[in-house]
Amino acid sequence: AAQAAAEPGVPRKCINTPQDLELFTRSKLCNQLVSFVTELAEAAKGLPCDPARKSTASPLVMALSGILDEMESWIEDFPPLHQPMRFGNKAFRSWHQRLCERSEGLLTQALGHAAPEHAKKAEALAKELSYYLRGAFGDERRIDYGTGHEVAFLGVLFALGATGVLARADAADAVLIVFADYIRVMRKLQKVYVLEPAGSHGVWGLDDYHMLPFLFGAAQLIGKEEEVPTGEVYREKIVEKYADQYLYVDAIRQVLLAKKGAPFHETSPMLYDITSVPDWQRTLGGMVKMWRAEVLGKFPVIQHFLFGPTLQW
């Protein structure tokens, strides 16, 4: 509290006890986060990720996409170090330090592309959201990544939506361009620096790191049951043909690459169980419930979430 008093506008951690978590899960903000995710999923319904979308995207969407491209390019500047441990390459700390140094400037630059009526709030918002951005790419001390980091990135999109900076008309692109780019950068960071899965559920998680690609990805596949049947989504021919267009299939491809050699139903029983759900609409419904319970409702995951002027405690 002292820190918050000293620095107005700086988001802070508020979930410190199980009682705090209970307050949060019953709060208006928690419901709003679920509604926001549902609204984004709705906007992406039946739509593939298509590079052509960028030609019609808003300047703000393109600027956010540009930030992510820039972050990805820093990986070249910090090649992995030779070290005895397989997991957690220490070069990640240098990459993350640059993120901390530049996050506010990058956001200021991106918010400069929002509609002119938002110019007044751009500076304060960039400062506030820089804390979420820093928390969205993994933990630099533990060199790990999990759904608690993923939800920090969602916090950035939520705040931009809640303040009206990200227009409703941008909702589909927020998923199919901005979030898809974020996932691309994360996959690269996970691979290059061998980030440890944070609080991994092992085989009982959806995958070692993410949840939202499955949620948004299920929405993308609604009405596509002919091309991508729920029960066949892990088959090689489906993965080859559709992984670049659909986040769910891409996420399955990542699981198959990570767990090469072992049968899918053994390495990923949760995902395998979900293949018995008959259609993607119901799969999406289950994913939203699961995200609320397993991400927003689990202390080890959500305890580091930040609250500030836009995402209020």
Side-chain angles (χ1 to χ4, degrees):
Q3 179 206 9
E7 283 197 73
V10 172
R12 60 198 176 96
K13 175 174 156 41
C14 295
I15 300 176
N16 299 306
T17 65
Q19 289 74 16
D20 295 337
L21 175 66
E22 202 174 317
L23 272 177
F24 170 67
T25 53
R26 292 205 306 255
S27 70
K28 182 179 166 192
L29 177 63
C30 187
N31 287 331
Q32 287 172 326
L33 287 165
V34 176
S35 301
F36 181 68
V37 158
T38 309
E39 206 176 305
L40 289 183
E42 197 62 34
K45 208 183 222 178
L47 300 173
C49 294
D50 178 354
R53 289 195 78 87
K54 291 195 172 179
S55 61
T56 56
S58 72
L60 175 64
V61 163
M62 290 313 296
L64 293 168
S65 173
I67 286 186
L68 291 158
D69 290 346
E70 180 167 336
M71 287 179 190
E72 185 176 25
S73 74
W74 302 341
I75 296 172
E76 303 296 316
D77 299 335
F78 305 112
L81 303 167
H82 294 290
Q83 60 178 45
M85 307 86 74
R86 190 172 86 77
F87 270 111
N89 195 286
K90 292 194 169 94
F92 175 67
R93 290 181 178 149
S94 306
W95 184 92
H96 198 279
Q97 189 179 344
R98 182 174 288 180
L99 168 67
C100 293
E101 289 160 3
R102 299 192 186 175
S103 54
E104 191 175 336
L106 286 172
L107 283 164
T108 303
Q109 187 186 312
L111 295 182
H113 294 272
E117 64 268 26
H118 301 300
K120 276 199 199 73
K121 54 189 157 194
E123 197 182 323
L125 197 55
K127 180 179 180 172
E128 181 186 353
L129 295 187
S130 68
Y131 291 89
Y132 293 88
L133 202 63
R134 289 168 205 173
F137 292 86
D139 185 283
E140 76 285 6
R141 294 179 312 278
R142 294 189 301 274
I143 314 185
D144 67 5
Y145 177 90
T147 48
H149 302 109
E150 185 185 74
V151 78
F153 190 77
L154 184 86
V156 174
L157 296 178
F158 176 85
L160 293 174
T163 51
V165 174
L166 185 74
R168 277 224 146 129
D170 287 333
D173 287 339
V175 175
L176 303 173
I177 296 177
V178 183
F179 185 78
D181 284 346
Y182 165 69
I183 290 295
R184 188 194 74 231
V185 176
M186 273 324 309
R187 301 278 187 214
K188 192 157 179 189
L189 290 169
Q190 286 152 8
K191 192 176 169 188
V192 171
Y193 301 121
V194 201
L195 304 184
E196 191 109 43
S200 171
H201 299 287
V203 296
W204 298 110
L206 290 178
D207 75 1
D208 284 339
Y209 299 109
H210 291 284
M211 180 143 190
L212 288 173
F214 294 99
L215 190 156
F216 294 141
Q220 282 182 284
L221 290 166
I222 290 170
K224 304 265 188 261
E225 283 79 4
E226 293 275 298
E227 301 99 303
V228 186
T230 54
E232 304 282 312
V233 70
Y234 58 94
R235 304 271 182 223
E236 200 174 322
K237 60 179 194 301
I238 299 269
V239 171
E240 275 177 15
K241 191 170 179 186
Y242 295 107
D244 292 333
Q245 297 169 62
Y246 297 103
L247 293 166
Y248 196 104
V249 189
D250 174 56
I252 295 278
R253 172 169 62 184
Q254 299 299 327
V255 169
L256 295 172
L257 286 170
K259 314 268 167 87
K260 262 198 185 108
F264 183 68
H265 66 269
E266 281 179 20
T267 60
S268 310
M270 282 282 282
L271 285 172
Y272 184 72
D273 281 353
I274 293 166
T275 62
S276 66
V277 178
D279 60 65
W280 290 110
Q281 182 71 55
R282 273 181 271 190
T283 304
L284 171 63
M287 288 291 170
V288 173
K289 282 190 188 124
M290 190 174 173
W291 185 71
R292 180 171 196 144
E294 299 299 320
V295 175
L296 301 182
K298 285 286 187 287
F299 187 79
V301 178
I302 203 69
Q303 62 171 330
H304 301 292
F305 196 71
L306 299 174
F307 299 85
T310 308
L311 292 95
Q312 289 184 9
W313 175 248

